[in-house]
Structure formats: structure tokens, C-alpha cells
Amino acid sequence: MDAIAQPALIASSTASILLALLGALLFALSAALQHHVVGVHSRQIDGHAPPIDLANQPGTDAATQPRISVPAQAGPPPVERAGIQPGTVAVRERAGTAPAARTASRRPRVLTLLQRLVRDPLWLLGWVANLAGFAAQAAALHLGSIVIVQALLVTQLLFALPLSALPAGRRPLRRDWLGTVAVCGGLITLLTVRGTVPQTTARRDEVWLVVCAAAALIVLFLLVSRVATGQQYRTAAVAAAAGVCFCLTAVFLVLIGADVADRGLPAGLLNWPVPGLCASTVLGMLLVQHAFAAGSLPAAMTAMVITDPVASWIAGSVLFDARPQVSAEVLAGSAVGVGFLALGVVALANSPTLRDESRSPGSR
């Protein structure tokens, strides 16, 4: 029986690996588009972008815009001669003619940013790529191990290199190739050590322990982001919280895929993992956007891409491995693979190739 099932297990694992690589490519494309758009709108909100000429905007009547004329003669302005403070007129004109700007200044920054993003075609295109990657990830998780699938998603950094280097006409650096070798070596080690481990959802009742532990980690990372002194540390903490959210998303996808396969589509979509999937995905999305807006792409990607596979390795081994591998050889080999992955991720995510260094100082 095992001899008959082994070829099917190998075929399923191979298809899972290919789908995970496709998902990584789509996620890399989505991250590149979203990081660019979020950065542009964040700089505009912070006031570092060139001011918008309201008189030339569509749907704006130029005749209704306030115009301030500077007198040519010397001496104090007319408002000073009338005994009125000059700043009073300017404040009143701005207050009377820009209620939208006044409202936007009182609105939380994240809401203002989201309002801009949902109207940007490039950001929406990034989400189309993200949803396609999400579908590929779901199929890969249904066919293979959550540990391997989430580890393979690290390769999105490999795909992010040409996406960042080609438009700017740059060539990958030596550290990029070394990081690539480390990531590939870590993945090969992890795949070799684990082999083809059958997956099961028989221990799904224990998922609440994983959810509670993940929720505690998310809260801890967010607290660290509030007290950390450096901007990059705060960005990394928020991105790490997002990585834990995406680990939970993968866990819920495995459970939903099993429910759909066993009970059919309607029953599978009406079961309790679906609300958990929605909550973890939405929270992860918000945290990622916040991390992209608050800091650099390398800091965010490094923390998120390391946290997700490590958390998934723990969750997958506890919940879904039919034969949990706890031997000293497997644990040592997995630690070596994860170590190579971490080194490669740090080298790639902090590479100048992934940094947007073509911006002028005024646009930073």
C-alpha cells in the first residue's frame, strides 16, 4: 500500500512546489507595485511631494480659487495698514477654501493613505497579482506541506531582484548572488531533511493553541514597534507581526482545503476556519501596508519573510505532520536549513539592488 501511495505523494509534493514558486513570483510582483505606490502616496501625505495645483485639477473652477496679489509698492501690506494681522487673513482663506484638506489633516493617517490607494490603478493591479498568488498558495497548501510551501515563498526575494534591478538598468551585486546561493541551499537542505511527509488534519482541534500563541506573538511585536527607538526596528516589528498573520492564513487555508475536499464547496466555505482566514488576511494586509509606509522595503521584507516560514515550520509540525519528525538529525538539519535561509534573506533584503535609490533627495 505504501509503495502505491508513494508515487502519488511525490507527484503531489512536486505540484505543490511548482505552485508555491508561482505564488512567490506573483507575491514579489505585488510587493514591488504596492511598495512603490504606497511610498509615493506616503510622501504626498507627509508634504514632501510637489504641491498640487488645484486650479488645474479636473472639476475645479479656477474662478472660485482664492488669489493673493502682492502689492508692488513698498511699505506694509494693506492688511497691516488696516490694523489686521497678516496671518489672520491667510488662515481664514485657507480655512474657508480648503475644508477637504482640513478634514484630511484630522483623519488618521492610515485611513487617508487607504483612501488614496484604493483609487490608484497600480495598487489595484498589485492586489490582482496578490490574489492570484494567494490562489496558487492555497492550491500548493492543499497538495503539500505547509512547512515546505511557506519556506518556498522566501523565493519571492529572488524574483524581487530582477523586478528591482531591470527597470533601473542595474546589475545584481556579488552579495545578491551569495544571498541567492544561501536561500537555495537552505531550501534544498530543508526539502532533503523533511522528505515527503504525509499531511493530516486529524489534530485540527489543537489549532486554537496555535492561534492563541500566534495572537500573543502579534501583540508582542506590535508592543515592540511602539517602544522601539529606531524607525527600521519599528518597521521590522510590524512586518514580523504581519508574517505571523500570514502563517495563520496558511493554517486556515489548509483546514479550508480539507473541508472543501471532504464536505464540498458550500459546507467547506461555511465552516469556522473561514472567518479566521478573513481576520488573519485583513490584519496582515493592514500591517504590511503600515510597514511599507513607515520604513524601507528591505527592513519590512526581511522581518516578514523570516518570521512567516519559521512560524509555519512550528505550526505545520505541530498540527499537520502525520508523523511528526522530532529526531535529532531532522531537527539539526532543519536548523541548518533555516539558518541558511535567514542569512540569504538578510543579504537579499538589505541589498542596494532592492532599495529605491534613484529618488531625488527632495522626494524622500
Side-chain angles (χ1 to χ4, degrees):
M1 189 70 179
D2 291 339
I4 298 176
Q6 192 67 19
L9 183 60
I10 294 175
S12 177
S13 299
T14 303
S16 174
I17 291 173
L18 295 177
L19 286 169
L21 292 174
L22 175 61
L25 173 60
L26 293 169
F27 286 142
L29 177 61
S30 173
L33 290 172
Q34 290 185 7
H35 180 259
H36 170 72
V37 174
V38 169
V40 170
H41 287 292
S42 295
R43 292 191 295 272
Q44 290 179 351
I45 293 173
D46 292 338
H48 298 301
I52 299 174
D53 186 3
L54 294 177
N56 295 327
Q57 294 302 306
T60 303
D61 186 1
T64 63
Q65 299 301 317
R67 299 182 182 275
I68 301 175
S69 59
V70 179
Q73 71 273 16
V79 290
E80 286 193 16
R81 290 197 296 267
I84 303 174
Q85 294 297 326
T88 308
V89 176
V91 170
R92 285 178 180 172
E93 283 203 302
R94 287 196 298 268
T97 58
R102 211 168 62 249
T103 302
S105 66
R106 291 197 302 261
R107 185 183 301 130
R109 185 178 186 275
V110 66
L111 295 181
T112 302
L113 179 62
L114 287 176
Q115 185 181 26
R116 287 169 171 259
L117 292 177
V118 296
R119 293 181 291 182
D120 193 297
L122 277 180
W123 189 80
L124 296 176
L125 179 61
W127 266 105
V128 170
N130 195 51
L131 291 175
F134 190 78
Q137 179 193 14
L141 288 169
H142 180 65
L143 295 173
S145 165
I146 183 176
V147 176
I148 300 301
V149 171
Q150 297 303 103
L152 285 171
L153 292 181
V154 172
T155 57
Q156 62 186 287
L157 282 175
L158 307 183
F159 298 123
L161 280 174
L163 291 175
S164 299
L166 291 180
R170 297 192 296 263
R171 298 181 62 182
L173 305 175
R174 178 180 297 179
R175 65 182 296 173
D176 300 335
W177 295 115
L178 293 176
T180 300
V181 170
V183 168
C184 294
L187 289 174
I188 291 172
T189 302
L190 194 60
L191 289 170
T192 303
V193 168
R194 280 187 55 85
T196 53
V197 181
Q199 300 293 285
T200 180
T201 57
R203 297 190 298 274
R204 61 186 298 151
D205 292 339
E206 301 174 9
V207 73
W208 294 108
L209 298 175
V210 173
V211 171
C212 291
L217 271 179
I218 293 170
V219 172
L220 177 62
F221 283 131
L222 293 180
L223 289 176
V224 170
S225 72
R226 300 290 294 180
V227 301
T229 55
Q231 181 63 49
Q232 298 305 317
Y233 295 112
R234 292 195 294 269
T235 299
V238 174
V244 178
C245 288
F246 293 137
C247 166
L248 286 179
T249 295
V251 169
F252 290 126
L253 279 174
V254 172
L255 297 177
I256 292 172
D259 289 340
V260 170
D262 294 339
R263 308 177 187 177
L265 185 60
L269 295 181
L270 293 176
N271 208 357
W272 63 265
V274 175
L277 172 69
C278 297
S280 63
T281 303
V282 171
L283 180 58
M285 177 198 75
L286 293 175
L287 292 175
V288 164
Q289 300 303 321
H290 179 63
F292 283 167
S296 66
L297 178 64
M301 290 293 288
T302 301
M304 183 170 59
V305 173
I306 289 178
T307 306
D308 186 2
V310 171
S312 298
W313 184 85
I314 298 172
S317 299
V318 170
L319 291 176
F320 302 126
D321 281 356
R323 297 189 303 270
Q325 299 180 334
V326 293
S327 65
E329 294 80 4
V330 171
L331 292 177
S334 298
V336 171
V338 171
F340 274 112
L341 279 178
L343 290 175
V345 166
V346 171
L348 291 175
N350 290 279
S351 169
T353 308
L354 288 181
R355 296 179 185 270
D356 186 9
E357 295 179 340
S358 61
R359 296 180 298 182
S360 62
S363 66
R364 290 185 184 274

